[in-house]
Amino acid sequence: MDDSRSCPTSGLQTGLLERVAREFELGTPVAAEPLRGGGAEVVKLATPQGSFVVKPVYRVPDWELYAVVERALNARGVRQARLFRTPSGAVVSASGHCVQEFLTAVMTERPNRRQTDRAMRHLAAYDEALATIPLTADHVPVDPVPVDPVPVAWLTADTLWTRVVSPTYLGENLPRLVRDHAPRWVDPNTVAEGLALLAAAAPEIAALPRQLVHGDIGPDNVLYDGDEVVAIVDFTPYHESALFGLGSALYWFHVHPGGSDQSGGPVHPGGHRRSGGLDVDQVRASVAAYDEGRALTSTERTLVVPMLLREALRRFATPLAGAEELGGPVPEGATHQRYDALLEVLALARDCPFISGDRVHDTDGDLRPEKEH
């Protein structure tokens, strides 16, 4: 079969898509197009049986895990794209692809405040559902819905992305990564200050109960119908605290230049904002929305900003660690954006290190009037 032919309305290889359709018994492809936000290799495939999402698989354990997550969350009313199986029951086909249900919803790169609020509320329910999935043999689910165990291969995975989230890894390796790989405009003293603040909170972070979480929730991973959330997608699994997932969401929605921050702050010529654009009121509102769905403990409330700082350090460190471990140049534009984001979070950590849903605390724990922020 000639794999160079294109599907109708697409520039994609028909032969490969026809093979995937046969493997999953989807019917004959009639149209295909790249899925917005999914990269060139992620395809929306239409057949007489309906519309599907076809994705290449790079790590089989991640998709075996998603099969567990999808069943568990859908059983609890938290929508996830259904994962299809081959006739033999495999979630990954011989051609190295998986197929998901196509959800009729939209992704917005710049969600408004109402959409952001709904995303945080949905994340709370999402985290509570994920907490019922057993990670160890002695884990007892909190409700009687049957849940499959997590694949052992995922639990034991050791990758760049699992290492770079560790405060210990960051403390031991980020100074060297900055020295050896960061652009010259990165101030190592600023990075060292952030690491020192994170180290002070690291024991409390380590003591938080861990569960299965989504560690990459940004606007491009949330699907909406109007202002209402349909689903959180592109599950990126981590064995961390629920606060870790919230920290990731706060970073992508409010700190990183591509998020929903509506402060209108100035931007660099390259498109990224200067430091100082972080809107604390928006961060506070998102924490409050999450807290309404999943009540934060008093300890978690004190760790919101340290966890956000951890996320900013993790995101800044990732391209540097990638250059060292995988080879290739450091992407300067992305590094500049992430360094700007780190500066903003570091300023927040200095000024108001404790944020709850409705108030801001100073370093002595006394309440500050909201108007000061």
Side-chain angles (χ1 to χ4, degrees):
M1 184 177 291
D2 181 3
D3 283 355
S4 65
R5 293 178 294 125
S6 294
C7 274
T9 72
S10 80
L12 304 171
Q13 293 182 343
T14 299
L16 181 57
L17 291 175
E18 288 177 343
R19 178 181 177 184
V20 173
R22 289 195 304 272
E23 290 172 328
F24 287 93
E25 298 186 337
L26 303 178
T28 303
V30 296
E33 60 182 315
L35 190 67
R36 180 187 173 196
E41 294 182 308
V42 180
V43 177
K44 177 186 176 184
L45 176 67
T47 79
Q49 296 184 28
S51 294
F52 310 90
V53 177
V54 177
K55 296 182 177 182
V57 172
Y58 303 105
R59 282 181 38 81
V60 174
D62 286 350
W63 285 99
E64 293 175 338
L65 174 61
Y66 179 74
V68 175
V69 168
E70 177 257 302
R71 290 179 58 188
L73 269 62
N74 279 322
R76 289 164 179 80
V78 179
R79 186 77 179 276
Q80 288 290 279
R82 185 163 61 93
L83 190 63
F84 289 81
R85 294 176 179 267
T86 67
S88 66
V91 297
V92 179
S93 69
S95 66
H97 291 79
C98 68
V99 173
Q100 290 178 286
E101 167 191 17
F102 175 75
L103 297 177
T104 303
V106 298
M107 179 272 289
T108 175
E109 296 177 354
R110 301 288 292 180
N112 60 41
R113 293 196 180 194
R114 185 182 294 273
Q115 289 171 327
T116 298
D117 178 84
R118 297 295 191 275
M120 298 302 161
R121 292 170 188 263
H122 190 90
L123 175 58
Y126 185 92
D127 283 341
E128 289 202 322
L130 285 175
T132 68
I133 298 176
L135 293 176
T136 60
D138 58 356
H139 176 99
V140 179
V142 299
D143 61 45
V145 177
V147 178
D148 297 326
V150 166
V152 173
W154 176 79
L155 283 172
T156 57
D158 178 32
T159 68
L160 181 156
W161 292 273
T162 59
R163 289 192 294 274
V164 80
V165 303
S166 164
T168 300
Y169 172 93
L170 292 170
E172 293 177 351
N173 294 279
L174 187 51
R176 185 194 75 257
L177 293 173
V178 169
R179 183 192 68 220
D180 294 346
H181 300 285
R184 287 178 295 178
W185 38 259
V186 172
D187 181 4
N189 294 323
T190 297
V191 176
E193 180 185 0
L195 290 171
L197 291 172
L198 177 60
E204 289 182 285
I205 290 175
L208 292 172
R210 294 196 295 170
Q211 63 169 76
L212 191 61
V213 297
H214 190 321
D216 191 26
I217 298 176
D220 58 344
N221 284 339
V222 181
L223 298 180
Y224 294 93
D225 180 6
D227 288 339
E228 299 302 320
V229 175
V230 172
I232 291 172
V233 297
D234 289 343
F235 182 61
T236 307
Y238 285 89
H239 184 201
E240 288 286 346
S241 68
L243 201 62
F244 175 84
L246 176 59
S248 178
L250 294 175
Y251 177 87
W252 287 118
F253 274 82
H254 296 300
V255 183
H256 192 270
S260 65
D261 191 317
Q262 300 171 41
S263 61
V267 297
H268 285 293
H272 47 276
R273 295 177 302 166
R274 296 188 180 97
S275 299
L278 180 59
D279 188 326
V280 177
D281 287 336
Q282 289 187 29
V283 176
R284 185 187 299 113
S286 286
V287 174
Y290 182 91
D291 185 51
E292 288 182 13
R294 176 191 169 276
L296 295 169
T297 67
S298 58
T299 298
E300 287 176 325
R301 289 175 183 275
T302 66
L303 292 175
V304 168
V305 174
M307 194 65 80
L308 183 55
L309 177 60
R310 176 191 183 184
E311 181 71 10
L313 286 164
R314 161 205 177 190
R315 296 297 177 180
F316 173 67
T318 298
L320 306 181
E324 180 171 274
E325 294 192 26
L326 306 177
V330 173
E332 185 158 336
T335 302
H336 209 157
Q337 288 182 328
R338 295 179 183 209
Y339 183 64
D340 276 359
L342 174 59
L343 293 177
E344 292 188 358
V345 176
L346 188 54
L348 174 66
R350 295 189 197 108
D351 187 42
C352 42
F354 305 117
I355 290 183
S356 64
D358 54 2
R359 50 193 170 181
V360 178
H361 300 264
D362 65 19
T363 54
D364 297 321
D366 296 326
L367 290 179
R368 289 183 176 182
E370 289 189 11
K371 65 181 181 181
E372 294 186 14
H373 301 285

